[in-house]
């Protein structure tokens, strides 16, 4: 089948960690508050400038900048090597340990990923970016209470600037845990902060659809399908919602778009078979 959803690569741009629920997961904007730049969740001193940045930190920062680029390109081994060099220059570099954890998560080395996040939190127990990523690692391992604790710690930080991202991931983790009511509330909070996020909107619409609130599901899924962010998953959910709302015109239009844009998708196959309740 062709790739028709928000792929893991796309998720990495949405939350920088590791994968889940549309079809997959994560994003780099924020989980590593850019190397060498003090993040909103970790403002402990003035911004470091060229005139006062120690030489050892400058070397580490430059290495980590390279590591982030390699990580985004999927070159995990090269990224890991750059992180090792950054930590040689500065063994107390929290952001390096944070990215190290993300790299090992992608490599499915859970023990090393966990060790990385623990080391980062030992250096800075209030770093919300690390708590966010460590929470997702817990979630992937089915440790839902520990995941919830990490997410709540991140969200409790009054200076944390990526609350919408963490609420999105927390809601998706709650879906995994089977806590649909909690997930609906959490994703609604996330949309209040980031109304244009298609991943949050899709998952909230799907939850509403599953519990029979078709009118609200229609509102959220239409917001996605009326934009260029629509994909096979969102179009298919839109088809099912419009079917429940008895809007045959809207249903037909979405189905035509689905077939035209994603002819080899599993969603088209389900439509042709009439598997609306799959």
């Amino acid at each position: 089948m062709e790739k028709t959803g928000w792929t893991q690569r796309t998720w990495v741009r949405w939350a920088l960690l590791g994968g889940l629920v549309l079809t997959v997961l994560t994003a780099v904007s924020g989980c590593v508050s850019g190397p060498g730049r003090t993040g909103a969740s970790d403002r402990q001193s003035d911004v470091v400038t060229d005139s006062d940045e120690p030489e050892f930190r400058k070397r580490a920062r430059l290495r980590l900048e390279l590591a982030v680029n390699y990580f985004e390109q999927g070159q995990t081994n090269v990224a890991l090597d750059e992180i090792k060099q950054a930590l040689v220059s500065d063994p107390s570099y929290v952001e390096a340990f944070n990215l190290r954890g993300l790299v090992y998560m992608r490599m499915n080395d859970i023990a090393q990923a966990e060790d990385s996040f623990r080391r980062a939190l030992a250096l800075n127990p209030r770093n919300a970016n690390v708590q966010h990523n460590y929470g997702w690692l817990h979630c992937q391992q089915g440790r839902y209470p520990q995941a919830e604790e990490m997410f709540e710690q991140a969200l409790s930080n009054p200076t944390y600037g990526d609350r919408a991202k963490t609420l999105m991931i927390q809601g998706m983790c709650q879906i995994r845990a089977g806590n649909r009511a909690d997930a609906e509330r959490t994703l609604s909070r996330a949309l209040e902060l980031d109304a244009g996020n298609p991943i949050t909107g899709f998952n909230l619409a799907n939850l509403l659809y599953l519990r029979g609130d078709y009118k609200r599901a229609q509102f959220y899924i239409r917001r996605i399908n009326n934009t260029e962010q629509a994909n096979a998953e969102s179009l298919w959910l839109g088809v099912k919602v419009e079917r429940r709302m008895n809007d045959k015109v809207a249903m037909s239009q979405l189905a035509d778009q689905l077939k035209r844009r994603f002819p080899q998708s599993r969603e088209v196959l389900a439509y042709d078979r009439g598997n609306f309740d799959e």
Side-chain angles (χ1 to χ4, degrees), residues 8-9 25 32 38 43 65 85 114 143 146 155 172 229 245 250 253 257 259:
Q8 184 160 3
R9 177 95 181 204
L25 165 353
V32 186
T38 302
R43 290 197 174 107
E65 288 176 351
Q85 294 301 317
E114 191 153 9
R143 302 191 293 256
Q146 294 91 328
L155 293 167
M172 295 171 68
Q229 295 172 320
M245 294 294 292
Q253 289 174 341
Q257 187 179 167
K259 289 184 174 182

Side-chain angles (χ1 to χ4, degrees), residues 94 115-126 130:
V94 173
D115 175 74
S116 300
F117 294 136
R118 283 178 174 173
R119 290 193 185 194
L121 289 176
L123 291 166
N124 184 355
R126 290 183 53 79
V130 179

Side-chain angles (χ1 to χ4, degrees), residues 120-137:
L121 289 176
L123 291 166
N124 184 355
R126 290 183 53 79
N127 189 302
N129 290 319
V130 179
Q131 290 164 341
H132 170 101
N133 291 331
Y134 197 12
W136 181 244
L137 176 62

Side-chain angles (χ1 to χ4, degrees), residues 170-201:
Q170 182 182 28
M172 295 171 68
C173 186
Q174 289 165 339
I175 292 173
R176 277 195 165 193
N179 300 325
R180 289 184 178 179
D182 289 341
E184 186 177 324
R185 286 190 290 269
T186 301
L187 292 171
S188 295
R189 290 174 60 198
L191 273 188
E192 289 175 3
L193 298 175
D194 185 8
N197 188 317
I199 296 170
T200 306

